[in-house]
């Protein structure tokens, strides 16, 4: 007989206050005004050890801005759990969704024989359960293990369903940046083809539709050329498996490090593909959410920086 471990922790006592004014107020000033009887040393302790959140984000900055209508939550019981992991960074979190910047080499979700391997899903599951053992996390979409960058998870089934069942309408923009072998001639363009998959799980491209093939449309723009490489931004009209990798090969310029799809070398020890921009309608509030990460420094170094966009030297 197995027994479920009982949560014996003291329930958190959380006080929430809203900035109902019309101007920004520094956090320490706001807290002192909302809790005038609290000793100053207590306020300093709350700030230092992470007992305070502004609109769902933990902060320890005494001068962090509290904008009009934003909420400040004070946990009197314990510090809030703060997400820290060497292979993934927290970008945004609220009660409905989480957006992270996944490192390359990290699986999104484990499947089959890989279920025991560390994944972005398991890392986040452990994090939300640290806050409350009843919390769960739900997969919305995936990134290839070798691809770094932005991806989102849902905090409850309703948010997951809202995103997955209406993905093409909910997701407004998805942009990737990659380093390609050689110089791409055109500054911008489009690749349109039909993709299928072999029994060995390799995706292939065909110019005409056929049984089992799905239309894939990829737009590209060259950001830099230099040192024998092209730094290219890709935006997706469709979201097919390995779409950018296959279309880069079809352009005659495979992604650096992508030996599966024709790359000759891997000078930076990874696939040079990064999910840079993610914009979508929030699954609950329908608010326009846009997130962007910097181009990885190793990508810029390979081409000498974005300033050389129009140079073929």
């Amino acid at each position: 007989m197995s027994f479920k471990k009982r949560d014996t922790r003291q329930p958190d006592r959380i006080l929430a206050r809203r900035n109902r004014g019309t101007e920004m107020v520094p956090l320490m000033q706001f807290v002192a005004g909302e809790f005038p009887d609290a000793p100053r040393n207590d306020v300093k302790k709350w700030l230092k050890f992470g007992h305070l959140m502004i609109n769902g984000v933990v902060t320890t900055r005494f001068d962090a801005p509290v904008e009009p209508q934003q909420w400040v939550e004070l946990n009197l019981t314990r510090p809030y759990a703060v997400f820290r992991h060497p292979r993934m960074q927290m970008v945004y979190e609220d009660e409905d969704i989480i957006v992270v910047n996944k490192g390359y080499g990290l699986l999104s979700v484990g499947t089959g024989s890989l279920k025991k391997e560390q994944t972005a899903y398991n890392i986040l599951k452990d994090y939300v359960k640290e806050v409350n053992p009843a919390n769960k996390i739900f997969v919305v979409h995936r990134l290839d293990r070798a691809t770094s960058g932005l991806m989102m998870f849902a905090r409850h089934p309703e948010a997951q369903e809202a995103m997955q069942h209406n993905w093409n309408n909910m997701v407004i923009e998805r942009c990737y940046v990659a380093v390609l072998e050689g110089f791409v001639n055109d500054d911008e363009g489009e690749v349109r083809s039909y993709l299928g998959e072999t029994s060995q799980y390799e995706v292939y491209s065909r110019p005409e539709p056929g049984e089992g093939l799905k239309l894939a449309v990829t737009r590209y723009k060259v950001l830099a050329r230099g040192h024998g490489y092209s730094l290219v931004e890709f935006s997706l009209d469709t979201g097919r498996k390995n779409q950018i990798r296959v279309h880069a090969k079809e352009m005659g310029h495979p992604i650096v490090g992508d030996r599966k799809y024709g790359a000759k070398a891997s000078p930076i020890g990874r696939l040079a593909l990064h999910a840079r921009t993610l914009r979508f309608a929030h699954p609950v509030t329908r608010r326009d959410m846009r997130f962007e990460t910097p181009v990885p420094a190793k990508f810029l170094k390979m081409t000498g920086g974005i300033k050389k966009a129009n140079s073929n030297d």
Side-chain angles (χ1 to χ4, degrees), residues 90-126:
M90 181 70 68
V91 175
Y92 176 83
E93 177 184 12
D94 62 26
E95 61 269 26
D96 305 304
I97 61 172
I98 289 176
V99 178
V100 297
N101 183 9
K102 182 187 80 69
Y104 71 91
L106 180 65
L107 280 172
S108 297
V109 182
T111 57
S113 61
L114 300 175
K115 283 187 176 180
K116 293 183 179 180
E117 188 171 335
Q118 189 179 57
T119 66
Y121 170 81
N122 285 332
I123 292 167
L124 287 177
K125 183 180 71 173
D126 291 344

Side-chain angles (χ1 to χ4, degrees), residues 36-242:
D37 297 330
R40 185 174 177 84
N41 283 341
D42 283 358
V43 176
K44 289 182 177 179
K45 181 191 73 174
W46 295 337
L47 280 164
K48 181 178 179 180
F49 295 106
H51 288 255
L52 290 160
M53 287 199 306
I54 302 175
N55 262 30
V57 178
V58 180
T59 183
T60 57
R61 284 178 47 202
F62 73 92
D63 60 346
V66 183
E67 302 291 349
Q69 304 308 310
Q70 285 190 330
W71 285 92
V72 172
E73 295 177 78
L74 166 62
N75 191 331
L76 291 171
T77 308
R78 60 175 62 85
Y80 287 107
V82 178
F83 181 84
R84 291 187 180 92
H85 197 276
R87 304 183 71 185
M88 193 162 66
Q89 294 82 48
M90 181 70 68
V91 175
Y92 176 83
E93 177 184 12
D94 62 26
E95 61 269 26
D96 305 304
I97 61 172
I98 289 176
V99 178
V100 297
N101 183 9
K102 182 187 80 69
Y104 71 91
L106 180 65
L107 280 172
S108 297
V109 182
T111 57
S113 61
L114 300 175
K115 283 187 176 180
K116 293 183 179 180
E117 188 171 335
Q118 189 179 57
T119 66
Y121 170 81
N122 285 332
I123 292 167
L124 287 177
K125 183 180 71 173
D126 291 344
Y127 162 66
V128 300
K129 285 185 177 295
E130 183 181 347
V131 178
N132 184 337
N135 284 344
K136 296 182 179 179
I137 202 82
F138 298 86
V139 177
V140 174
H141 67 120
R142 306 184 187 202
L143 286 180
D144 288 346
R145 177 207 289 263
T147 304
S148 59
L150 292 169
M151 62 182 302
M152 70 175 295
F153 290 83
R155 298 289 299 267
H156 51 78
E158 292 78 15
Q160 179 193 41
E161 184 175 353
M163 292 301 301
Q164 288 187 334
H165 287 197
N166 202 21
W167 180 258
N168 290 335
N169 292 325
M170 297 291 283
V171 178
I172 304 165
E173 180 184 5
R174 275 196 302 163
C175 290
Y176 293 69
V177 64
V179 181
L180 308 190
E181 294 185 343
F183 292 141
V184 177
N185 290 327
D186 296 332
D187 288 341
E188 55 185 84
E190 175 186 292
V191 182
R192 178 185 295 261
S193 70
Y194 295 85
L195 303 185
E197 189 173 5
T198 69
S199 58
Q200 287 75 41
Y201 306 109
E202 183 171 343
V203 178
Y204 61 91
S205 177
R206 295 288 182 270
E208 302 295 336
E211 185 177 353
L213 301 182
K214 296 180 179 180
L215 176 65
V217 181
T218 306
R219 304 179 193 278
Y220 68 88
K221 178 181 179 181
V222 176
L223 302 178
R225 299 183 183 91
H227 309 311
Y229 300 106
S230 299
L231 181 66
V232 180
E233 181 181 77
F234 291 96
S235 60
L236 302 179
D237 285 7
T238 57
R240 310 301 183 201
K241 179 180 177 180
N242 293 171

